[in-house]
Amino acid sequence: MSRRQFVGLAGSLATVLGLGLVGCGGGAGKGSAAGSAAAKDVKGAAESKKLVVGFDKSYPPYGFVGDDGEYTGFDLDLAKAVADKQGWEVKYEAIDWDAKDTLLNSGAINCIWNGFTMEGREDDYTFSEPYMLNEQVLVVKKDAGIKGWDDLAGKTVITQTDSAAQDVLEGDQKDLAATFATLDTIGEYNTAFMQLESGAVDAVACDLSIAQYQLAAKPDAYTQLDEPLSSEHYAVGFKKGDTKSADAVAESLKALYEDGTVKDLCDKYSSYGLSFDNWVLK
C-alpha cells in the first residue's frame, strides 16, 4: 500500500516509529469483494489516466509521513515513476486499511500499493506481476538467547491481527505455533515491538520489511531468526478484472528496473532496511 526524506537517520526513524507500524502484508482481504452496481462503471487507472493510490501512511519504508509532513516512501515514489512512464496523473490517498476493499470497489481509489502481499488474495484482486520478495519472519531481543524455532517453545509470540504472519501461524506453521505458550495478536506492529522491547512478549512475527525497518532503527536491540516462516511477494492490487491497469503497471515497473530507477529508489531507502536484492520483476 502506499501501502510513508528525512534529515538524519536517527531522527527520521524515531519520527516514523512514532506513527506506528501497520502490517500491510496482512492476511487476505476480508471486505466486500463484489462492489455495487455503480462501482462496476468506475474507470481504472489505464482508462482514466489517473492512478489513485490507496496506502497506509504508517508503513515505512513503503509509505509514511516525512519530516516535512508530506507523504513519502518507496512505493509512493515507485507509483509516481510508473505514472510518469504512462503519462498518468498520480494521487495518494491515505486509507484506513480495514476499508481498503470498500474504497477500491467504490472507486475512491483504483489501486492498493503499499507493501501489499498477493498470496492468498488472488481471488479478491487483479494484481500486477509481483515486484518484491517478502517473507514472514520472527524477531526477538538480541540478548534473549533465542537462536531458532526450538527456543520459542513455551514462549509468548505476538503478531498483527489479520496479518499474513497470523495466517501462516494458524495455517502452514500451526504445529510451530502449538509449541508457543501463547500466540497473541495486536492492532499494529509498533506496539508489538514496544512489548518485545519491554519483555512483555518474547518474539514478534511480521513481514520481512517490518523486521528490516526495526532492525535498522535499533540494531542493538533486536535480531531476526534465520529461518523464515514463509516466503511471498508484494504486488500492486487493482479491482478484480482491471487487467489493463495491472498490465500497464507491470510493463512500466520492468522499464524502471531497466533504466536504473528501481536501483536508485532502493538505495534511497536502504537505510530503512530495504534491499535491491529483494526486487524480482525484471
Side-chain angles (χ1 to χ4, degrees):
M1 337 167 168
S2 279
R3 145 257 151 94
R4 293 147 156 117
Q5 167 149 87
F6 296 93
V7 179
L9 175 59
S12 304
L13 293 175
T15 298
V16 180
L17 276 169
L19 294 170
L21 294 176
V22 178
C24 302
K30 294 179 174 63
S32 169
S36 65
K40 294 179 181 177
D41 298 326
V42 172
K43 292 181 179 180
E47 189 176 358
S48 66
K49 307 301 181 185
K50 184 175 183 178
L51 186 67
V52 186
V53 179
F55 74 103
D56 170 10
K57 65 181 180 180
S58 302
Y59 193 67
Y62 290 92
F64 56 95
V65 180
D67 283 345
D68 58 1
E70 299 295 322
Y71 297 136
T72 188
F74 176 76
D75 275 352
L76 298 190
D77 287 359
L78 205 53
K80 177 64 166 60
V82 164
D84 288 346
K85 284 280 188 187
Q86 291 291 332
W88 298 344
E89 179 184 351
V90 65
K91 182 180 181 182
Y92 304 133
E93 289 287 350
I95 64 172
D96 179 345
W97 191 240
D98 290 339
K100 61 187 179 297
D101 296 330
T102 300
L103 294 169
L104 185 63
N105 286 318
S106 72
I109 59 176
N110 59 25
C111 75
I112 302 170
W113 195 338
N114 201 177
F116 194 38
T117 298
M118 65 181 295
E119 282 84 356
R121 290 179 165 129
E122 294 90 343
D123 293 338
D124 300 315
Y125 308 91
T126 291
F127 282 100
S128 70
E129 292 181 51
Y131 63 91
M132 186 71 79
L133 174 69
N134 185 43
E135 293 177 328
Q136 298 305 315
V137 299
L138 290 155
V139 178
V140 300
K141 291 182 72 172
K142 185 167 279 189
D143 60 359
I146 299 173
K147 305 300 183 183
W149 290 6
D150 290 346
D151 297 325
L152 290 170
K155 304 294 187 182
T156 297
V157 179
I158 195 168
T159 190
Q160 186 200 7
T161 303
D162 193 28
S163 64
Q166 182 182 1
D167 288 347
V168 169
L169 288 169
E170 292 178 350
D172 292 345
Q173 298 293 353
K174 63 182 178 181
D175 290 343
L176 171 63
T179 70
F180 302 160
T182 60
L183 174 61
D184 297 336
T185 59
I186 200 165
E188 43 83 25
Y189 276 118
N190 193 46
T191 305
F193 276 91
M194 290 173 62
Q195 292 194 13
L196 178 62
E197 187 171 18
S198 72
V201 301
D202 299 296
V204 177
C206 62
D207 285 15
L208 176 64
S209 57
I210 292 175
Q212 290 175 326
Y213 172 73
Q214 290 286 349
L215 267 64
K218 296 185 177 181
D220 296 328
Y222 307 127
T223 188
Q224 178 185 316
L225 299 189
D226 290 338
E227 187 173 2
L229 295 168
S230 67
S231 294
E232 58 207 32
H233 298 87
Y234 288 157
V236 187
F238 296 87
K239 187 177 176 183
K240 195 70 176 175
D242 189 8
T243 55
K244 189 174 182 181
S245 297
D247 290 347
V249 166
E251 175 189 342
S252 290
L253 288 175
K254 291 176 182 177
L256 291 168
Y257 169 78
E258 289 292 338
D259 69 17
T261 300
V262 168
K263 178 65 164 58
D264 290 343
L265 290 178
C266 287
D267 289 345
K268 177 180 177 179
Y269 293 99
S270 63
S271 60
Y272 297 88
L274 194 145
S275 173
F276 180 61
D277 292 340
N278 291 335
W279 183 269
V280 297
L281 184 56
K282 303 173 181 179

